[in-house]
Amino acid sequence: MFDPPIDLSDLPGYQATASTRPARTAFLGRCSTKDNQDPRSSIAGQLAEASALLAPGEAFTAHFWDVESGMLGLDERSQGSADDYARLGVPVPRDGGLRELLEWVERGELDRVVCERISRVARDMLPSLQVEYHLASRGVTLECANEPRGGMTTGQLELRRTAQVRAEIYRHELLEQSMRGQRQHAAAGYRHGPPCYGYIAVVDADAPPAANRFGGGRPKMRLALHPDSRRADTVQEVFQLRREEQLRDSEIARVLAADLDRHPLADGQVLWRPTRVRRMLAQPKYSGYQVFGRCAARTNRSRINPIADWVWSREQAHPMLVPLEKWHETQLVTAQMQQRQAPGWDRVNEAAAQRRIQLRAVRESDTHILYEAAGRQFVLPRGDLPAAVADEVIAILEAGA
């Protein structure tokens, strides 16, 4: 219906010239961790579905796939080593993961990328869109085997965006269900994370089996006192040195290091560091209660969540090393010591408070402290803070506000 009024088919350029170069098509796949899915069947199944989009006689130029969570950001993807993937025994060749795919695209070595469905690119919509945009801006098409072929672009786009939204909603649903289970796990007193100094993890033989689960499942564990009783004594002495003598982290570390026979190091520990002492003093599990949600594990493990958001077990779940009242008193002493800044700190603290920026100590030595605030880290001396240094710190806080 849009033909010219006369026959122009004899003119050069009447029809687009077909490229003589065969299309360079890559396979992109992903499955969750090997604990949740069997990558051998999952990746092979995705490849079989994606192969339906190949032309007769065409083969994939390269294969890119990952075995990891689709909730990771682009900068966190494709972290596994070649040896790790070789041990999985997946019957599909691997030229890399998503990160390597983007590098191939950047070098102009691909024309088309095919995957089973858009959620295999990423669970979150933002990184999925970022990959799609990156490919399109370099002339590389992204096709999904579960999307219809032909028709109008708007229909295909609506289906793809709907699938991306659904994938992200499913991701949040999984997180909500997982967090609900983690809270109940902690409330019942079962262990979360590695055991802290002075404890070991033991299987709770009295724990009920997981309902509606085929197979054994992971056993529930609780904390128990370490067989070396010196560790329990060390924990109690650390709290006493802070609470009664108000020693700094570095001073307590020196006390412990001076007598390793009484204060043994933890496995893999080479010396007593102030940061380890600080973590020990902040650990509420020494009160005998199980506690979950202290740190922002997925975003920033160094950031401590508000205490009001922590999940405490309904009752004491393991042997107590420090009574909860003494732990509470120790936290007050620590807070008071942190507020006792030299006069030069007044303007810095006021500037931080006005901008609702937390000035947090990361680690320290006998003479200096490494602070973090407003996305920046800087080293400041102990004691008096020179006016010029205070001005520079305030400028950093103002820039990050």
Side-chain angles (χ1 to χ4, degrees), residues 306-318:
I307 297 178
D309 296 339
W310 297 358
V311 177
W312 295 72
S313 59
R314 302 182 184 94
E315 55 188 19
Q316 287 188 327
H318 49 262

Side-chain angles (χ1 to χ4, degrees), residues 220-333:
K220 294 184 179 296
M221 307 187 78
R222 294 183 182 271
L223 295 180
L225 291 178
H226 195 281
D228 188 349
S229 61
R230 295 177 300 171
R231 299 196 180 200
D233 296 337
T234 297
V235 172
Q236 294 169 343
E237 184 169 346
V238 165
F239 274 82
Q240 183 178 356
L241 291 173
R242 170 58 57 84
R243 189 176 59 253
E244 298 182 5
E245 301 185 28
Q246 299 190 10
L247 296 186
R248 300 196 305 267
D249 299 335
S250 58
E251 295 171 333
I252 296 176
R254 284 199 297 270
V255 171
L256 301 180
D259 192 354
L260 292 179
D261 289 335
R262 289 184 55 232
H263 309 298
L265 297 169
D267 297 338
Q269 185 181 355
V270 295
L271 73 162
W272 281 103
R273 295 183 180 275
T275 52
R276 181 173 289 273
V277 172
R278 184 183 306 116
R279 288 196 298 267
M280 184 184 297
L281 288 166
Q283 180 58 259
K285 295 179 183 179
Y286 288 126
S287 66
Y289 289 86
Q290 183 59 245
V291 182
F292 170 70
R294 294 177 56 236
C295 304
R298 285 194 57 84
T299 55
N300 183 1
R301 290 184 179 275
S302 63
R303 182 173 66 82
I304 302 299
N305 293 325
I307 297 178
D309 296 339
W310 297 358
V311 177
W312 295 72
S313 59
R314 302 182 184 94
E315 55 188 19
Q316 287 188 327
H318 49 262
M320 174 192 65
L321 290 180
V322 179
L324 185 57
E325 294 76 14
K326 296 295 184 182
W327 180 87
H328 175 233
E329 184 180 342
T330 303
Q331 308 316 301
L332 293 177
V333 172

Side-chain angles (χ1 to χ4, degrees), residues 210-218:
N212 300 324
R213 180 188 292 272
F214 294 101
R218 288 184 293 182

